[in-house]
Structure formats: structure tokens, C-alpha cells
Amino acid sequence: MTLQKVDVLIVGAGPAGAAAGRAAAEKGLQVLCIDRRTQVGLPVQCAEFVPMPLLRTVHETQSRVQDVSGMMTVLPSGLQHHSVFPGIMIDRSRFDQGLADLAQAAGAEIKTRTAFVGWDGQRARIKCSSGEIQEIAPRMLIAADGPHSPVAESIGLAHQPVVYTRQYTVPLCHDYADTDIFLSDAFPGGYGWLFPRGPVANLGLGVDKRFEVNLKKPLEELHQQMVDRGIVGQEVLGRTGGAIPVGGLRPMIHGHVLLCGDAAGLTHPITGAGIPAAVISGEAAGLAAAAYLAGDGDALESYEEDMQDQFGPALRRAMQRRTSLEAVWRKPAAQEDQVMRSAWIAFDEYFAA
């Protein structure tokens, strides 16, 4: 079994891992980033919306598809609420690949078809595409490997609670500038959505499988409703799905192991938004690793404190709203507009004490 020494080993080459790799490599560190997928960015398991503050990253990765100006929230009664909500629809595969290209340009090595197997506190075992098991001895290990993080499992962390998603790509019948959000007991633990992407749209939903195990039926019903309204076409051009962590923040420092992105629970437990937090936390983790290895003994704690300060208040509020909703799913209260208003970010009630 071969042994390779590196400064930083990153598991996962999504937005968090690529951002970490770029930041650490730019500080002169030897960085190895591994990903079990055949190609970075594929398959896409995302609604592909990012807020305007990520404009610079979208520009760097040349991944912009169209701008979005507002959000139309549909309540259980059918009442529609429009709010200003600017953002960008992206080509997620191009976004991820662009970030990986930037990391490689900075000097990071990225290996695909390479899986993390285990960690003993000093050495990681990885399985290469050839089937060979290799040992890596990193000075720092960064977990950017998603909601079902094998790195987190290897250091003894419990599995995160997740919402499961299912999404169709469908043709749009006309230009669309809003994101549509559907709040309903038909999507317990989550919501339905329509996100426009030029000539097509991502139409999907997320649910908590404790309340609903069949994702196909409610999605097909939502699709037919949108067809009947003349918004989208009948044809399904693509299908995807995945898991979104909804348990909130978890400890990010474990000896010489740092967690970031979905692996750290930074995804918003109500909206499911995770790309901005992944990019921000990944870059911060890469910089923290570089600073720590350069002799700054407080760098890792500062990283966790910064992430807590930046994301903690919003995530804690979202967890409170999520807990409140869990008590009403599949009950009459879940069909009350006021209940849904108190649990969605487009309404003032969500931010009330």
C-alpha cells in the first residue's frame, strides 16, 4: 500500500471542496482533493438558484443562465404572495467544474473516481478508480463530502437528518422571471418549486420521508397543475433528486479535521439553500488550514467562530420554524395559510420573535 504525504486532503470536489482547495493552494500548500464521481459537477442534484452576492463566483465560472427578479409564494389556500427576491439561475455542472478548474489553476490536484474509505486520526485510506487502496498522510483533512459525509461518519458523528428531493426538468411555455414556491401539506417537511432556466424550468419538491415516502405522485400532480396553467409543457426532459441536510450546524473542528458546506450542516433547514454557505465556508476552511499550518494556533477556532457568527442566527431560527412545522404536518393546521406564513422566509411572520 503506497503512502502519500500532503499538506491538505479535501474529500469532495463540489463548491465547498473546490473553494477550499483553491484557497489553500493559493497559500502555497500541497493540496489533494478527491471526489468519488466520474466527473465534477455531475449528476446535478440542485434547483440551481443562487443569490446575487455570489455574482462574482458565477462570473468566474461562466455559469450564469438567467437572472431572477422575484419570488411567488403560493399558500395552501391558493393565495399568491409576490416578493422581490433577486438571484441568478446557474448551470450547476458548469459552476462546479469552473470552481474545480480555478482550484487546479491555483495548484490543487483533483482526483475523480476516488473514494474516501477511512481515517485513523493520522492517515486516510482512499480507493482509486483502479481499485487500489492508497494511504494519504495529510497535515489537515477537510470534509466537503455532503450530507452523508463519510468523513464525518469516520470521526464518530451521527448521520444528519435529511429531506429528500425529486426534480424534473420541463420545457417552459414562455419567459419567466420569478421563482415559484408552493407551501402545502402535499410536501410535508419541505415545499414545491419551479425555477426558470431560460427555455426550461426545474420543477421539484422536497419532503421528509417520516411523513411522505412517495415523491413521484405529488411531483406528477404539481407538474400537471403547471401544465394546466400553461406554464410548462408535458414533456419531462430530465430527472434528478438527492438529499438535503436539515439538522442545522454541527461541530466543525475535530482535531486536524475541518468540516464545511453540507457536511458541516450549513444548509438552510427551511429553504434548502446551501451553495453560498458551501463556497464561503470552503474558502474559509482552506484559509484556516493554511493559517494553522503556518503557525497560527487559533486559526481553526476562528474559522468555526466566524461560521457560527455568519450563519448561526439564521440557521437557529430556521431550526425553530422547522420544529414548529413538524408538529402540524398531516394535520388540519398544515392547511392554514397563517401557519405556513410563519414558517417561510418571504413573510414577516417568519422573522417575528
Side-chain angles (χ1 to χ4, degrees), residues 102-274:
L102 291 168
Q104 289 177 305
E109 179 184 3
I110 295 181
K111 280 188 176 182
T112 56
R113 300 175 63 195
T114 304
F116 174 87
V117 177
W119 171 251
D120 65 7
Q122 293 184 322
R123 296 182 179 183
R125 284 178 294 117
I126 65 173
K127 184 176 183 180
C128 302
S129 58
S130 64
E132 178 189 3
I133 300 295
Q134 294 184 352
E135 283 195 340
I136 308 294
R139 298 168 69 194
M140 291 293 305
L141 172 62
I142 296 179
D145 49 348
H148 300 301
S149 168
V151 175
E153 183 178 3
S154 75
I155 58 177
L157 293 184
H159 291 291
Q160 299 183 82
V162 297
V163 158
Y164 289 92
T165 68
R166 188 178 178 97
Q167 180 173 274
Y168 293 165
T169 300
V170 293
L172 267 174
C173 295
H174 54 78
D175 292 343
Y176 219 74
D178 287 340
T179 59
D180 286 356
I181 302 297
F182 304 92
L183 306 180
S184 168
D185 197 42
F187 320 121
Y191 60 92
W193 65 78
L194 183 144
F195 288 82
R197 296 183 68 252
V200 300
N202 291 333
L203 182 70
L205 56 83
V207 303
D208 185 331
K209 286 191 174 181
R210 292 177 300 169
F211 303 103
E212 177 59 70
V213 296
N214 186 345
L215 280 68
K216 182 179 180 180
K217 182 175 182 290
L219 180 54
E220 289 186 340
E221 291 174 349
L222 178 61
H223 182 200
Q224 190 59 52
Q225 292 171 19
M226 302 303 281
V227 170
D228 293 343
R229 290 172 54 190
I231 295 175
V232 305
Q234 191 75 55
E235 186 180 4
V236 176
L237 305 173
R239 294 174 172 85
T240 190
I244 299 174
V246 292
L249 276 170
R250 24 191 217 169
M252 301 180 198
I253 307 170
H254 304 268
H256 285 189
V257 180
L258 290 182
L259 272 60
C260 60
D262 283 0
L266 285 166
T267 303
H268 197 281
I270 289 290
T271 68

Side-chain angles (χ1 to χ4, degrees), residues 1-347:
M1 186 180 297
T2 60
L3 175 66
Q4 179 182 357
K5 295 183 179 180
V6 297
D7 293 321
V8 180
L9 172 64
I10 302 168
V11 181
R22 178 187 185 184
E26 286 179 341
K27 292 297 182 179
L29 298 186
Q30 183 184 6
V31 177
L32 172 62
C33 180
I34 64 171
D35 196 290
R36 60 181 176 80
R37 296 172 295 177
T38 300
Q39 183 175 343
V40 171
L42 294 174
V44 173
Q45 297 174 318
C46 176
E48 301 181 282
F49 172 86
V50 298
M52 278 297 178
L54 276 188
L55 178 61
R56 180 178 66 86
T57 307
V58 172
H59 177 72
E60 284 184 313
T61 57
Q62 299 181 0
S63 57
R64 185 188 213 138
V65 175
Q66 76 164 75
D67 292 344
V68 168
S69 58
M71 177 191 292
M72 181 68 74
T73 304
V74 183
L75 291 160
S77 69
L79 182 68
Q80 298 181 353
H81 172 87
H82 188 269
S83 51
V84 176
F85 197 73
I88 310 164
M89 294 301 300
I90 62 171
D91 180 325
R92 177 62 192 273
S93 63
R94 188 181 302 165
F95 182 84
D96 285 20
Q97 186 60 62
L99 286 173
D101 290 344
L102 291 168
Q104 289 177 305
E109 179 184 3
I110 295 181
K111 280 188 176 182
T112 56
R113 300 175 63 195
T114 304
F116 174 87
V117 177
W119 171 251
D120 65 7
Q122 293 184 322
R123 296 182 179 183
R125 284 178 294 117
I126 65 173
K127 184 176 183 180
C128 302
S129 58
S130 64
E132 178 189 3
I133 300 295
Q134 294 184 352
E135 283 195 340
I136 308 294
R139 298 168 69 194
M140 291 293 305
L141 172 62
I142 296 179
D145 49 348
H148 300 301
S149 168
V151 175
E153 183 178 3
S154 75
I155 58 177
L157 293 184
H159 291 291
Q160 299 183 82
V162 297
V163 158
Y164 289 92
T165 68
R166 188 178 178 97
Q167 180 173 274
Y168 293 165
T169 300
V170 293
L172 267 174
C173 295
H174 54 78
D175 292 343
Y176 219 74
D178 287 340
T179 59
D180 286 356
I181 302 297
F182 304 92
L183 306 180
S184 168
D185 197 42
F187 320 121
Y191 60 92
W193 65 78
L194 183 144
F195 288 82
R197 296 183 68 252
V200 300
N202 291 333
L203 182 70
L205 56 83
V207 303
D208 185 331
K209 286 191 174 181
R210 292 177 300 169
F211 303 103
E212 177 59 70
V213 296
N214 186 345
L215 280 68
K216 182 179 180 180
K217 182 175 182 290
L219 180 54
E220 289 186 340
E221 291 174 349
L222 178 61
H223 182 200
Q224 190 59 52
Q225 292 171 19
M226 302 303 281
V227 170
D228 293 343
R229 290 172 54 190
I231 295 175
V232 305
Q234 191 75 55
E235 186 180 4
V236 176
L237 305 173
R239 294 174 172 85
T240 190
I244 299 174
V246 292
L249 276 170
R250 24 191 217 169
M252 301 180 198
I253 307 170
H254 304 268
H256 285 189
V257 180
L258 290 182
L259 272 60
C260 60
D262 283 0
L266 285 166
T267 303
H268 197 281
I270 289 290
T271 68
I275 299 175
V279 174
I280 292 168
S281 64
E283 180 178 6
L287 292 174
Y292 181 80
L293 294 178
D296 182 353
D298 296 328
L300 305 187
E301 286 75 15
S302 294
Y303 161 70
E304 184 164 38
E305 290 172 1
D306 288 347
M307 295 302 100
Q308 287 278 1
D309 290 345
Q310 189 163 353
F311 298 106
L315 295 178
R316 286 190 290 272
R317 178 184 291 111
M319 286 302 301
Q320 291 171 352
R321 301 297 183 260
R322 184 165 195 86
T323 300
S324 297
L325 278 177
E326 287 178 354
V328 304
W329 291 122
R330 295 311 194 211
K331 298 177 181 178
Q335 291 298 338
E336 297 178 9
D337 285 1
Q338 190 57 42
V339 172
M340 292 296 111
R341 289 176 65 96
S342 68
W344 184 248
I345 60 168
F347 300 103

